[in-house]
Amino acid sequence: MSEDFAVPEKSGAEILIDTLIEQGVDTVFGYPGGAVLPIYDALFQHKKIRHVLVRHEAGAAHAAEGYARSTGKPGVVLVTSGPGATNAVTGIADAFMDSIPLIVLTGQVATNLIGSDAFQEADTVGITRHCSKHNYLVKDPADLASTVREAFAIATKGRPGPVVIDIPKNVQVATTSTDVKRATSSRFNPAGEADYAEINRAVELLANAKAPILYTGGGVINSGPDASAALRELAELCGAPVTSTLMGLGAYPASGDAWLGMLGMHGTYEANMAMNQCDVMLCLGARFDDRVTGRLDAFSPDSIKIHIDIDRSSINKTVRVDLPIVADVGAAMRQMIEVWKGRKYKAAALDDWWARIKGWRAVDCLSYADSTQEIMPQYAIERLFAATKDKSPIITTEVGQHQMWAAQHFHFDAPNKWLTSGGLGTMGYGLPAAVGAQMGNPDALVIDIAGEASIQMNIQEMATATQYRLPVKVFILNNEWMGMVRQWQELTYESRFSESYSDSLPDFVALAEAYGWKGIRCSDPAKLDEAIAEMLAYDGPVMFDCRVHKTSNCFPMIPSGAAHTDMILHSDEVSGTMDDEAKALV
Amino acid sequence: MHIKQELTERHVLTLTVDNEAGTLARIAGMFTSRGYNIDSLTVADISEDHTTSRITIVTRGPPPVIDQIIAQCERLIPVHKVTDLTEAGPHVERELALVKVRGTGDQRVEAMRLADIYRARVIDATVNSFIFEITGGPDKIDTFVALMREVGLVEVGRTGIVGLMRGAEGS
Ligand SMILES: Cc1ncc(C[n+]2csc(CCOP(=O)(O)OP(=O)(O)O)c2C)c(N)n1
Ligand SMILES: [Mg+2]
């Protein structure tokens, strides 16, 4: 040691902070505790990183997701060992399902105590192993910098996802002068461009199709803004209609001519019918999820299916496809455009196809019986959309009917504006996600479209918004029911409403005021526009308790286990029960 | 309603992986968390610098599930290469078993005679017991163990199989 005293030694905590800064991190969502005190002390001394103190670690993870989804940058979470880490697990699992890049830094007990059931010890690496893209336990401060660098590459490249780095307390404190660099290149090589032979074949199929459809998903958004631009250009060139999963909304503009609306369980009639009847399906960064396909053996029976995805394990997982292409979807679409133009293909005459689509559109599947007495939930979303569409808002949601109504009746023209928990379906996602999105987009209008049940799952994050002066709006479609559960019970269990009533609700206006927010309540459709205007005019956080019709159901709906062609369009088509096969499906 | 069973195929997969903490748990756990079967799993360091291990997994599933298993293995960061020996063509599979039998008189003579036929070696002997070492394909070992049951089997230890492609090329 005596010879090389000139080399300054750094603690693990300092190395960590320095590496985060080097990786371009400016915001961290976290909550302190014993096992991360050295990191918090290092943060205190560095002013380059903004730390957002959440009120529960689940909030930290969802806030980081909201930040990531709305900015395109990875979200960073910092929590303590044991309960801090376990509280963050839901958000990690959520990010894993929806392919959101997160770096989750967890404190751990000192290496010599691991395995001894020490205070606040939990096997974080074990618990998160199968709900993260990768995870690490770092046992030497000399490995920290290279681990963090590799973690950022893994989280953001290929199919994005959460990466957990568990750092024992003694590793945060111990100093080292060396920064051992591990070679990372050979370990992680995500797919890039597609093979031109495959692209040529895809273009040929698309150009010769009589009834093509583009089925797009969250992968288009994850691939970056250029992928959305490429999608628009490709759709224009080939003249095919475009539908999207819940996660892909905004990649193709809802105001575009080719837009069919969302597909799947609560998708539009025209999108699902077109999926069923198409002759060539081009799946772009989507994964044939069970909410999308409905009954598998009846899913688009006569189409040739092309699937472009960066993750090979998503291809042929549930639906066999004819032309699998493992590639970055944005790059592959650019290649398709280049080939299409190079070979001077013309869009096929699709008049017949569009005439059929027009017929399906005429069903007007999203229509609902409006009321002058009560606010219909669909009407509330429509009015919220009308009042905010020129402001290009960022919308987050909770989980339930309100989420589906938002997906149906709020329309997105740009990517990264729609933040929702799709794969995991996590109630309590929306408010912290809105906090994260507002941190990343200080000038944007950020609205959480919520349900009165879901909002209570992370309601403590109201204080976070207050502390950081985040003017987020929470628009609660308050139907006094866990509406989506009530709907399934009505449809499947002969209206035996077991435990789905939202009893003992707080007074949301008083609650808002208690947190230093503005509270607004509205139950009169005639006054709704005015109340929404009041919410938007307020320069600060607002909780809007929108009292809506209590027993509306969300239609159209493909009951679980049914085919795309068996959509229920209105409540009068509901039988009230289902067979056991259908009951067993999620 | 009853739970449906599907027809399955047996496949031997070999994985080249980083030799680091947690790799085995990651792979074995992925099989359990996604509901895939493991008939046997072997792992050992195979590189001069101790950075790489080779894992041989015998699994079972309908063909599309086998495809998924391979893709899911490839998705794991420490996994560099996955080969499906069963798909790749001619290959050899070997397993080693240690088999202890107890007995005296005719039973002991018969155990010895069978061991001879199956080319099992005696690696430990007392007046009333043997431990045999046998290598071979899983079928041969299954049959040998079944025979030993008749002549005083006490216990068996099996390594699980390792496999390589035939011919000059590596997998
Ligand atoms: C954490 C979690 N627990 C349970 C569920 C199951 N679940 C799905 S929707 C829902 C009801 C949501 O009620 P609310 O927030 O009022 O929304 P609504 O359907 O009434 O619009 C429940 C309990 C879930 N998705 N997430
Ligand atoms: Mg509700």
Side-chain angles (χ1 to χ4, degrees):
Chain A
M1 271 294 153
S2 56
E3 273 97 318
D4 55 17
F5 60 86
V7 182
E9 295 236 336
K10 281 203 264 176
S11 71
E14 285 170 321
I15 293 172
L16 174 69
I17 302 294
D18 288 351
T19 319
L20 291 177
I21 292 170
E22 166 209 299
Q23 293 294 314
V25 173
D26 54 19
T27 309
V28 170
F29 300 90
Y31 206 92
V36 281
L37 285 176
I39 300 175
Y40 271 86
D41 195 51
L43 262 181
F44 191 79
Q45 329 229 359
H46 275 271
K47 296 292 169 220
K48 282 194 185 147
I49 295 184
R50 248 178 331 173
H51 178 273
V52 179
L53 179 68
V54 295
R55 297 304 190 265
H56 185 291
E57 289 88 350
H62 294 316
E65 287 188 271
Y67 177 90
R69 191 93 181 140
S70 62
T71 62
K73 295 191 282 187
V76 182
V77 177
L78 171 59
V79 295
T80 193
S81 66
T86 55
N87 274 349
V89 167
T90 302
I92 297 170
D94 193 272
F96 188 50
M97 283 288 245
D98 284 346
S99 309
I100 313 290
L102 293 191
I103 300 292
V104 182
L105 307 162
T106 55
Q108 182 55 277
V109 300
T111 47
N112 55 307
L113 294 176
I114 289 179
S116 70
D117 300 320
F119 179 62
Q120 297 198 323
E121 179 181 2
D123 175 11
T124 303
V125 167
I127 292 168
T128 60
R129 187 171 287 131
H130 303 294
C131 62
S132 62
K133 189 172 172 190
H134 196 55
N135 63 14
Y136 304 87
L137 171 66
V138 182
K139 290 184 171 169
D140 183 341
D143 289 338
L144 250 177
S146 54
T147 303
V148 171
R149 286 181 195 126
E150 186 178 80
F152 272 85
I154 291 171
T156 55
K157 297 206 164 71
R159 179 175 178 179
V163 178
V164 178
I165 310 177
D166 201 22
I167 312 174
K169 197 170 180 184
N170 58 340
V171 175
Q172 300 168 30
V173 176
T175 57
T176 177
S177 58
T178 46
D179 172 5
V180 182
K181 282 191 187 158
R182 191 162 29 152
T184 59
S185 55
S186 65
R187 229 161 101 92
F188 186 63
N189 297 310
E193 285 210 338
D195 190 69
Y196 268 99
E198 291 168 346
I199 290 291
N200 290 342
R201 179 94 187 97
V203 171
E204 205 175 287
L205 284 168
L206 194 59
N208 291 310
K210 297 202 165 47
I213 190 167
L214 307 187
Y215 152 41
T216 68
V220 180
I221 295 185
N222 279 334
S223 179
D226 186 60
S228 293
L231 171 63
R232 289 154 201 232
E233 200 175 336
L234 183 64
E236 181 87 16
L237 281 178
C238 71
V242 183
T243 181
S244 163
T245 65
L246 183 71
M247 295 311 292
L249 296 177
Y252 184 83
S255 57
D257 293 335
W259 180 238
L260 297 182
M262 181 174 76
L263 84 165
M265 185 172 269
H266 290 292
T268 65
Y269 184 69
E270 51 269 37
N272 287 326
M273 288 304 287
M275 283 291 279
N276 183 267
Q277 298 285 307
C278 67
D279 67 351
V280 172
M281 177 190 299
L282 175 58
C283 170
L284 300 162
R287 59 184 179 93
F288 297 92
D289 175 77
D290 53 70
R291 297 287 107 147
V292 157
T293 59
R295 203 176 93 208
L296 274 177
D297 58 9
F299 173 72
S300 195
D302 302 320
S303 60
I304 295 174
K305 299 176 186 71
I306 308 164
H307 187 182
I308 306 180
D309 203 291
I310 201 159
D311 177 5
R312 171 161 115 68
S313 74
S314 284
I315 296 179
N316 286 331
K317 183 159 67 178
T318 52
V319 171
R320 300 299 291 179
V321 299
D322 303 279
L323 179 55
I325 302 179
V326 180
D328 173 83
V329 73
M333 282 191 287
R334 282 280 165 230
Q335 290 174 279
M336 286 184 75
I337 292 166
E338 176 202 323
V339 168
W340 187 290
K341 287 180 174 165
R343 298 204 179 171
K344 300 198 165 45
Y345 277 112
K346 290 273 163 301
L350 300 176
D351 297 347
D352 288 352
W353 180 225
W354 277 105
R356 292 174 71 196
I357 291 171
K358 202 171 158 200
W360 295 322
R361 276 178 169 162
V363 168
D364 196 12
C365 68
L366 294 179
S367 65
Y368 57 93
D370 207 354
S371 160
T372 51
Q373 305 303 312
E374 288 177 283
I375 301 177
M376 297 308 283
Q378 301 93 329
Y379 178 75
I381 304 278
E382 279 176 7
R383 298 318 300 160
L384 184 66
F385 173 64
T388 59
K389 63 179 179 203
D390 297 333
K391 301 185 191 346
S392 189
I394 295 173
I395 302 294
T396 73
T397 75
E398 307 291 337
V399 172
Q401 289 179 321
H402 62 276
Q403 176 190 30
M404 292 299 123
W405 281 317
Q408 293 173 337
H409 297 275
F410 209 101
H411 308 290
F412 298 90
D413 277 353
N416 305 100
K417 301 286 186 195
W418 167 246
L419 284 39
T420 195
S421 171
L424 201 64
T426 311
M427 291 168 71
Y429 168 88
L431 173 55
V435 164
Q438 191 80 75
M439 281 305 296
N441 304 268
D443 300 325
L445 170 62
V446 181
I447 307 174
D448 172 24
I449 297 179
E452 85 295 332
S454 297
I455 191 64
Q456 296 183 76
M457 284 218 179
N458 272 319
I459 195 121
Q460 74 288 344
E461 298 310 324
M462 291 178 78
T464 313
T466 308
Q467 179 177 347
Y468 297 93
R469 303 186 193 293
L470 304 175
V472 296
K473 317 294 181 213
V474 174
F475 191 81
I476 305 173
L477 293 187
N478 184 348
N479 53 9
E480 287 181 24
W481 285 90
M482 296 174 196
M484 190 57 94
V485 174
R486 197 200 54 72
Q487 173 167 349
W488 278 55
Q489 290 172 334
E490 183 183 325
L491 269 48
T492 320
Y493 297 95
E494 296 167 317
S495 299
R496 290 185 293 276
F497 297 126
S498 179
E499 301 295 328
S500 51
Y501 183 64
S502 286
D503 212 317
S504 309
L505 284 173
D507 174 341
F508 285 113
V509 171
L511 185 73
E513 285 160 4
Y515 273 112
W517 288 37
K518 183 181 178 62
I520 297 176
R521 178 171 295 122
C522 183
S523 53
D524 180 354
K527 296 197 179 125
L528 182 60
D529 282 351
E530 200 185 313
I532 290 175
E534 187 189 347
M535 171 179 86
L536 297 174
Y538 185 71
D539 183 18
V542 182
M543 177 160 268
F544 192 119
D545 182 11
C546 187
R547 296 300 185 92
V548 296
H549 181 249
K550 291 182 185 150
T551 54
S552 286
N553 284 335
C554 184
F555 293 113
M557 176 178 186
I558 304 176
S560 57
H564 276 175
T565 44
D566 296 331
M567 291 199 94
I568 302 173
L569 291 172
H570 303 288
S571 44
D572 51 17
E573 297 164 33
V574 171
S575 71
T577 185
M578 281 183 198
D579 63 20
D580 286 354
E581 301 275 345
K583 277 185 188 164
L585 294 165
V586 275
Chain B
M1 194 193 83
H2 299 281
I3 304 289
K4 293 194 186 86
Q5 304 293 347
E6 275 182 291
L7 282 177
T8 62
E9 285 177 5
R10 173 183 179 275
H11 282 243
V12 181
L13 311 180
T14 62
L15 285 68
T16 310
V17 304
D18 286 328
N19 186 13
E20 64 185 19
T23 300
L24 186 59
R26 203 176 293 285
I27 292 163
M30 187 276 286
F31 273 73
T32 10
S33 71
R34 292 189 181 268
Y36 305 145
N37 296 306
I38 299 182
D39 280 3
S40 84
L41 185 153
T42 63
V43 55
D45 178 356
I46 52 155
S47 57
E48 224 177 314
D49 58 0
H50 306 296
T51 57
T52 310
S53 292
R54 183 180 171 104
I55 295 181
T56 310
I57 300 179
V58 182
T59 184
R60 218 169 265 286
V65 174
I66 299 287
D67 266 6
Q68 256 303 298
I69 291 175
I70 295 168
Q72 292 293 350
C73 286
E74 284 172 347
R75 229 180 134 194
L76 302 174
I77 307 293
V79 175
H80 293 280
K81 190 165 193 248
V82 184
T83 307
D84 182 350
L85 288 184
T86 309
E87 278 296 300
H91 65 279
V92 289
E93 292 174 26
R94 284 293 179 272
E95 181 175 8
L96 183 146
L98 301 180
V99 182
K100 183 184 286 185
V101 292
R102 178 165 48 206
T104 51
D106 283 354
Q107 215 184 14
R108 187 173 164 81
V109 174
E110 184 59 15
M112 200 55 202
R113 207 178 63 83
L114 288 167
D116 213 38
I117 295 169
Y118 279 80
R119 297 211 185 90
R121 292 199 303 139
V122 177
I123 56 169
D124 180 67
T126 66
V127 288
N128 63 349
S129 73
F130 288 121
I131 296 175
F132 296 117
E133 174 197 303
I134 178 168
T135 58
D139 287 350
K140 174 179 164 187
I141 294 182
D142 285 348
T143 326
F144 182 68
V145 172
L147 287 170
M148 288 300 112
R149 261 195 194 103
E150 309 287 318
V151 292
L153 181 76
V154 177
E155 59 181 350
V156 194
R158 293 173 73 152
T159 56
I161 73 150
V162 292
L164 288 182
M165 306 255 297
R166 285 188 187 275
E169 302 305 312
S171 61

